[in-house]
Amino acid sequence: MESSTNNVTELIFTGLFQDPEVQRVCFVVFLLVYLATVVGNGLIVLTVNVSKSLHSPMYFFLSYLSLVEITYSSTVVPKFITDLLAKIKTISLEGCVTQIFFFHFFGVTEILLLVVMAYDRYVAICKPLHYMNIMSRQLCHVLVTGSWLGGFFHSIIQILITIQLPFCGPNVIDHYFCDLQPLFKLACTDTSVEGVIVLANSGLIALCSFLILVSSYIVILFNLRNHSAEGRRKALSTCASHITVVLLFFGPAIFLYMRPSSTFTEDKLVAVFYTVVTPMLNPIIYTLRNAEVKIAMRRLWGKKNSGME
């Protein structure tokens, strides 16, 4: 970033709430939620990698989804939590751009992984006899790598647009973390074109992925009519947890991007949901609805405890 165009080296967040008492309560609540996110998702990664019974592609993808949840949450939440105790919440311009890069990188990787998981369920339910041939170990690795690369390229485009903007005056971001729209409001130039490009970049990925997800689950549900009652129940249970996670992830995003920007407080509260709360809910949703994961976790803890005695 050239110093000729950027007099601003440090940015200040307005944060979520102004009241110090509320901020202290939020600190405790969000710290517990973040710890639950890391422990819950970490347990899933550990269980899937250690358990012999969880070696199917579905769990392979689930462990990567949990890993992405930890990293995605960690780009925003630790800084946000420590800022709740700070009087003035600051971040360097480079730090802000870095946060945007990783937030978008992990966010889009997660979207693409959800699409991959939907494809996996589609093959398992609609082409059960060919499942192991189609979802080979090699394809699973390719799909996961593709998800990470998709997130990376999406994020690089967002950043290349952002670093060309001049920041020369205002330095207060009306948010509790760095995102493109709040940062664009501080640029000393008209950012309407850039705003449309980054919105299209995010919006198109989210919209296309959401449409693919919805249509794939409709096809799956349609195909379930040919299954036995037991097969149908098991498939519906698995799909229900996937659909819940998809709705939790896309609901707030669609709410934010598909409407004219109004009060930022509203936006901030919605953002809390998808940056802090959703990553914690995923492991709960997947494990509560999945007997295999629960059994594997019990086995893992049984081993640990017997090893300690």
Side-chain angles (χ1 to χ4, degrees):
M1 290 179 209
E2 297 140 40
S3 54
S4 57
T5 54
N6 290 335
N7 309 337
V8 175
T9 55
E10 197 172 56
L11 301 163
I12 298 167
F13 294 128
T14 55
L16 191 58
F17 302 108
Q18 304 311 314
D19 185 334
E21 277 300 307
V22 175
Q23 290 194 56
R24 274 197 286 276
V25 171
C26 284
F27 173 80
V28 175
V29 172
F30 292 143
L31 179 62
L32 291 172
V33 169
Y34 178 64
L35 290 174
T37 302
V38 175
V39 171
N41 284 294
L43 262 178
I44 287 184
V45 175
L46 185 69
T47 307
V48 171
N49 285 301
V50 170
S51 302
K52 303 270 187 291
S53 59
L54 301 181
H55 275 189
S56 71
M58 180 170 90
Y59 298 115
F60 175 74
F61 297 134
L62 178 59
S63 73
Y64 274 100
L65 184 75
S66 290
L67 186 66
V68 172
E69 289 287 11
I70 295 171
T71 51
Y72 170 75
S73 187
S74 298
T75 56
V76 172
V77 183
K79 169 87 178 112
F80 166 49
I81 294 171
T82 49
D83 277 351
L84 283 167
L85 299 183
K87 242 187 171 55
I88 300 167
K89 309 164 198 336
T90 60
I91 190 169
S92 67
L93 189 57
E94 286 83 2
C96 184
V97 171
T98 305
Q99 193 177 50
I100 290 173
F101 172 80
F102 284 110
F103 181 65
H104 279 259
F105 173 31
F106 296 129
V108 170
T109 302
E110 177 166 354
I111 289 176
L112 297 175
L113 274 175
L114 289 171
V115 173
V116 166
M117 290 173 85
Y119 174 68
D120 171 65
R121 289 301 82 209
Y122 163 77
V123 177
I125 290 163
C126 302
K127 296 182 168 49
L129 300 177
H130 305 287
Y131 180 67
M132 289 321 286
N133 288 335
I134 296 172
M135 299 305 289
S136 64
R137 206 83 183 123
Q138 192 182 0
L139 181 66
C140 291
H141 285 290
V142 167
L143 290 171
V144 167
T145 308
S147 300
W148 287 98
L149 284 175
F152 180 77
F153 286 123
H154 157 81
S155 217
I156 283 288
I157 293 167
Q158 306 291 61
I159 293 306
L160 289 176
I161 291 165
T162 308
I163 58 173
Q164 287 168 28
L165 296 173
F167 296 96
C168 50
N171 71 335
V172 177
I173 290 189
D174 188 12
H175 215 315
Y176 64 86
F177 69 97
C178 280
D179 204 1
L180 293 159
Q181 300 302 341
L183 184 62
F184 278 16
K185 285 189 161 62
L186 304 186
C188 317
T189 181
D190 178 33
T191 57
S192 49
V193 176
E194 287 86 351
V196 168
I197 295 169
V198 297
L199 198 63
N201 188 2
S202 293
L204 281 172
I205 290 175
L207 192 64
C208 293
S209 302
F210 188 64
L211 291 174
I212 292 168
L213 285 163
V214 169
S215 48
S216 67
Y217 283 117
I218 289 170
V219 172
I220 286 170
L221 293 171
F222 197 73
N223 266 276
L224 279 177
R225 294 179 315 163
N226 311 326
H227 286 239
S228 66
E230 176 58 24
R232 205 178 302 154
R233 193 193 58 75
K234 203 173 170 193
L236 272 175
S237 176
T238 309
C239 288
S241 50
H242 285 223
I243 292 165
T244 309
V245 169
V246 166
L247 291 176
L248 281 174
F249 190 85
F250 282 94
I254 289 168
F255 173 80
L256 280 185
Y257 285 104
M258 299 295 170
R259 66 193 182 94
S261 65
S262 59
T263 60
F264 248 134
T265 315
E266 215 174 275
D267 285 5
K268 282 191 238 181
L269 290 173
V270 174
V272 165
F273 191 75
Y274 68 78
T275 54
V276 186
V277 181
T278 310
M280 177 195 69
L281 294 177
N282 280 9
I284 298 170
I285 293 162
Y286 279 114
T287 47
L288 284 183
R289 297 197 66 97
N290 192 309
E292 284 176 319
V293 175
K294 278 194 271 194
I295 293 163
M297 278 193 173
R298 276 194 210 112
R299 262 194 219 128
L300 184 70
W301 285 111
K303 256 189 229 162
K304 282 251 171 85
N305 293 340
S306 61
M308 284 173 183
E309 284 161 19

